Amino acid sequence: MGRIIENLNLSEQVTNELGRAIVAGEYSCESGLPTEAQLCEEYGISRTAVREAVKMLAAKGLISSRPRQGISVEQPSNWNLYDTSVLKWLLSSSPSLYVLKEFLQMRLAIEPEAAALAAEFGRDEDIDQIGKAVEAMKAAANDPSGSMHDADLAFHTSILFASGNRFFSHLRDFISTALNVSIQHTTPAKANDLAVADDHAKIYTAIRNRQPERARNLMKYLIDEAKTFIELEIKKQG
């Protein structure tokens, strides 16, 4: 606790620390949180700053604060998993592979359809952005010191945008947050960056050629392959 995070004000730092601790199970429904006075003393900040942190955590569904009842830690089922901070804390906690499995299951329900919509209705200029991401992935794959990470993120978020579906587009930050961790697990498993880039290029080609069903199936295969790897890793961990 008490770790300093640059570019965050005091309330945000406390929010980050307490959020991580709640998600990691250091505080639970049974144990509750320290009192305002205890938090003020621990972090060396004012009650105003602590109360602001409490409001932030309550907005994320991690805690609730009621008059004369104090601060209560909420059940995990009440946490706002679409909040990118909550997702980051979950992914940095010990059961992150289980979170990634659930995340990949959700992606299977969304991204294949987004790819199909992009192929059928996507504007040429939006599809161009997918192509640029693929080219960046290929360039990184051919560079021994390169990383495809950012280009891979751009590829998936560009497809969400190209789908033309505003609900999908608004998932871009959420998808990016989890992909930041997911890619680190699944890309090395293939042990061939060129093959990874080629798999993404096939999806782009199907979208560019206006082949919705092929784009849908290729994206489904890509995500299902990653999900299978994560499931194998979970089995290895027992």
Side-chain angles (χ1 to χ4, degrees):
M1 298 282 279
R3 177 177 46 196
I4 298 299
I5 300 175
E6 294 182 3
N7 300 322
L8 296 183
N9 64 34
L10 289 174
S11 295
E12 289 170 336
Q13 289 182 42
V14 176
T15 301
N16 190 73
E17 288 298 328
L18 290 177
R20 287 181 181 276
I22 291 169
V23 167
E26 294 176 31
Y27 299 119
S28 66
C29 301
E30 291 75 26
S31 67
L33 282 180
T35 65
E36 280 188 6
Q38 289 171 327
L39 290 172
C40 289
E41 183 177 351
E42 181 173 353
Y43 289 99
I45 60 176
S46 68
R47 282 183 180 267
T48 300
V50 167
R51 286 169 183 166
E52 186 62 31
V54 167
K55 287 180 183 178
M56 292 180 189
L57 290 170
K60 298 175 188 298
L62 269 65
I63 65 172
S64 58
S65 179
R66 299 178 180 87
R68 293 186 294 278
Q69 293 183 19
I71 303 170
S72 302
V73 176
E74 289 290 330
Q75 296 282 354
S77 58
N78 292 331
W79 298 350
N80 180 9
L81 302 184
Y82 289 100
D83 184 290
T84 54
S85 293
V86 176
L87 185 59
K88 286 176 185 176
W89 299 331
L90 278 168
L91 291 170
S92 65
S93 66
S94 55
S96 61
L97 287 177
Y98 293 93
V99 178
L100 283 177
K101 179 181 176 180
E102 289 184 290
F103 168 66
L104 287 163
Q105 290 169 340
M106 193 204 74
R107 286 182 61 198
L108 274 172
I110 291 174
E111 290 192 65
E113 187 61 27
L117 288 172
E120 190 169 1
F121 303 112
R123 300 181 303 177
D124 288 343
E125 57 266 36
D126 295 332
I127 295 174
D128 287 343
Q129 295 304 310
I130 304 171
K132 288 178 181 178
V134 168
E135 290 306 311
M137 289 184 72
K138 289 180 178 178
N142 284 299
D143 181 356
S145 62
S147 170
M148 294 195 302
H149 188 85
D150 290 343
D152 201 344
L153 288 176
F155 173 84
H156 290 280
T157 55
S158 293
I159 287 177
L160 292 174
F161 187 80
S163 73
N165 184 301
R166 290 175 295 172
F167 292 96
F168 288 174
S169 296
H170 277 278
L171 288 172
R172 283 180 293 173
D173 288 344
F174 171 77
I175 294 288
S176 293
T177 298
L179 273 173
N180 267 314
V181 176
S182 179
I183 289 170
Q184 295 171 29
H185 283 274
T186 57
T187 297
K190 199 145 190 172
N192 187 333
D193 285 353
L194 285 171
V196 172
D198 186 57
D199 285 344
H200 288 67
K202 289 176 182 176
I203 298 171
Y204 162 66
T205 300
I207 293 173
R208 170 59 70 191
N209 291 340
R210 304 295 181 175
Q211 298 173 299
E213 198 57 36
R214 178 168 171 77
R216 178 187 286 112
N217 290 335
L218 287 169
M219 180 64 85
K220 183 177 180 180
Y221 175 82
L222 184 75
I223 300 171
D224 195 54
E225 187 178 44
K227 185 169 75 72
T228 299
F229 171 75
I230 293 297
E231 289 170 344
L232 288 174
E233 287 297 297
I234 289 173
K235 285 183 180 179
K236 286 179 185 177
Q237 292 185 3

